[in-house]
Amino acid sequence: MERYSGGVRTDTSYKENLIGTLLAIFGNLVISISLNVQKYSHVRLSGTKDPRSYFRTKTWWLGLVLMLLGELGVFTSYAYAPLSLVTPLSAVSIVASSIIGIIFLRDKWKPKEFLRRYVLSFLGCGLTVIGIYLLVTFGPNDHEKLSGRNLVLHLLGWPFLLYLLVVIIIFCLLLYFYKRRKVAYLVIALLLVSLLGSVTVVAAKGVSGMIVLSIQGNLQLVYPIFYVMFVCMVATAVYQAAFLREVSQLYDASQIASLSYILSTTIAIIAGATFYLEFRGADALHICMFIFGSCIAFLGVALITQSKKKKAFEPYVPMDVIPAAPAGLL
C-alpha cells in the first residue's frame, strides 16, 4: 500500500478514480459535441417556416443521442471518483465548446483578426486545462464503496446534518428575497441553483454508486435510501432547470455560464467534503494545491466567457418564424 495525502491509497482506489475521471472527461466532451451538433442543426434550419422541423433531421437526433451518452458517462463517473474531482471537470465541456465554436461554427476570420478576436478564449482554455490538471493531481484519492449502509451513516453524520441545516437556512433566505422582494440579482438566482445542485450531485453520486454495486452483484436497490436519493436527485434537478430558465431570460448566457460554474463547483466540493468526507486525511499541501487549481480553472472559464460577451447574441430561430408573432413586431 502507498502512503498518500495523509491517508492510504490502494491500487483499487487509484484505478477507480482514474476510471471516474476519464468517464467524466469523456462525458463532458461528448456533451459539448452534442450541443454544437444540435446548434448546427438549428442554424441550418433557422430560415424555415416550421420551427419544429429540426426534430425531423438526423443531425438533431444525433445530437440528442450524444447528449444522453455524455450524461450517462458523467452519471457513471460519480460511482468511481469523488465529487471534488468529477464536478470541476464540467469545465471540459466549456473548453471543448469554445474550441469547436472557433473552428466550425464561427464566421471565417482573417489572420490579422485572429489574435484580437480569440486571444482571451485560447488563454482561458490554457488556464482551464492547467487548473483541471492540478485538480486531478492534488484532489482526494480515497474512495469508498457507496453501499446503502454507508450512505445512511453519512446521511446521519453531524457534518452533513450541520451542512444541510445551513443550506436550508441560506436557501430560504435567498428564495424570500428572490421571490417576495423581487431581488433578481444574477448571483442570488445562481446561488439558488448551486445550492440545489449540491443536493443533486450528492444524491446522484449515491444513486450511481448503488446502481454500479448492484450490477456487480451486491444488490443495493432493496435499501429505502436508494429511492430517497433518487427522488431528491430528480426533484432538485427539475427545480434547477426552472430557475435557470428564469435567469436565462434576464441575463446574458456568457455571464450565466461563468458564474454558474464557479458557484456550483465550489458548493458541490463543499457538499462532497461534508457528506462523503472526501478530504479526510488530506494534508495541507494537497488541499492548498487543489484550491489553487480550482482558482486557475475559475479564471480560465471566466476568460473564455468574457471573450464571448463581445459578440452579439444570435438566436437559433429568428423572430420571423415564431408562430403567432404580431406582424408589426417583425
Side-chain angles (χ1 to χ4, degrees), residues 25-40 67 89-106 118 121-122 124-125 128-129 132 253-254 257 300-301 304-305 307-308 311 316:
I25 293 174
F26 168 78
N28 283 293
L29 182 61
V30 173
I31 288 172
S32 174
I33 295 173
S34 72
L35 291 173
N36 283 280
V37 168
Q38 289 189 320
K39 179 177 180 180
Y40 175 74
M67 171 69 75
L89 290 176
S90 60
V92 171
S93 180
I94 299 176
V95 172
S97 293
S98 178
I99 296 175
I100 293 173
I102 291 173
I103 297 175
F104 295 106
L105 298 178
R106 303 294 182 189
Y118 299 117
S121 292
F122 279 105
C125 289
T128 305
V129 171
I132 290 175
S254 59
V301 170
I304 294 173
T305 55
S307 66
K308 295 182 180 180
K311 302 176 180 60
Y316 293 146

Side-chain angles (χ1 to χ4, degrees), residues 12-45:
T12 302
S13 177
Y14 176 79
K15 290 178 181 178
E16 288 188 348
N17 280 356
L18 180 61
I19 292 172
T21 301
L22 293 177
L23 280 173
I25 293 174
F26 168 78
N28 283 293
L29 182 61
V30 173
I31 288 172
S32 174
I33 295 173
S34 72
L35 291 173
N36 283 280
V37 168
Q38 289 189 320
K39 179 177 180 180
Y40 175 74
S41 177
H42 280 273
V43 171
R44 285 188 60 189
L45 299 174

Side-chain angles (χ1 to χ4, degrees), residues 28 38 86 95 100-101 119 124-125 134 147 186 203 215 257-258 263-264 288 303 329:
N28 283 293
Q38 289 189 320
V86 175
V95 172
I100 293 173
V119 62
C125 289
L134 292 175
S147 64
L186 177 61
I215 293 174
S258 175
L263 292 176
S264 61
C288 289
L303 288 176
L329 297 179

Side-chain angles (χ1 to χ4, degrees), residues 118-146:
Y118 299 117
V119 62
L120 284 181
S121 292
F122 279 105
L123 178 60
C125 289
L127 288 175
T128 305
V129 171
I130 293 173
I132 290 175
Y133 173 78
L134 292 175
L135 286 168
V136 173
T137 303
F138 295 98
N141 271 284
D142 292 332
H143 186 64
E144 64 177 335
K145 298 292 185 180
L146 297 178

Side-chain angles (χ1 to χ4, degrees), residues 41-166:
S41 177
H42 280 273
V43 171
R44 285 188 60 189
L45 299 174
S46 61
T48 60
K49 294 183 178 180
D50 183 4
R52 296 170 297 179
S53 58
Y54 51 81
F55 286 126
R56 296 189 289 269
T57 64
K58 295 180 180 179
T59 307
W60 189 88
W61 284 103
L62 173 62
L64 180 61
V65 172
L66 289 175
M67 171 69 75
L68 295 175
L69 179 63
E71 293 290 355
L72 179 62
V74 174
F75 178 74
T76 307
S77 69
Y78 287 125
Y80 292 97
L83 281 180
S84 304
L85 291 183
V86 175
T87 307
L89 290 176
S90 60
V92 171
S93 180
I94 299 176
V95 172
S97 293
S98 178
I99 296 175
I100 293 173
I102 291 173
I103 297 175
F104 295 106
L105 298 178
R106 303 294 182 189
D107 295 331
K108 293 183 178 180
W109 38 264
K110 297 179 181 180
K112 293 182 179 180
E113 299 177 350
F114 178 76
L115 286 178
R116 181 176 60 85
R117 294 185 62 184
Y118 299 117
V119 62
L120 284 181
S121 292
F122 279 105
L123 178 60
C125 289
L127 288 175
T128 305
V129 171
I130 293 173
I132 290 175
Y133 173 78
L134 292 175
L135 286 168
V136 173
T137 303
F138 295 98
N141 271 284
D142 292 332
H143 186 64
E144 64 177 335
K145 298 292 185 180
L146 297 178
S147 64
R149 292 181 180 179
N150 288 339
L151 288 172
V152 171
L153 291 176
H154 284 302
L155 188 64
L156 299 178
W158 71 264
F160 181 71
L161 293 178
L162 179 60
Y163 170 80
L164 191 61
L165 177 62
V166 173

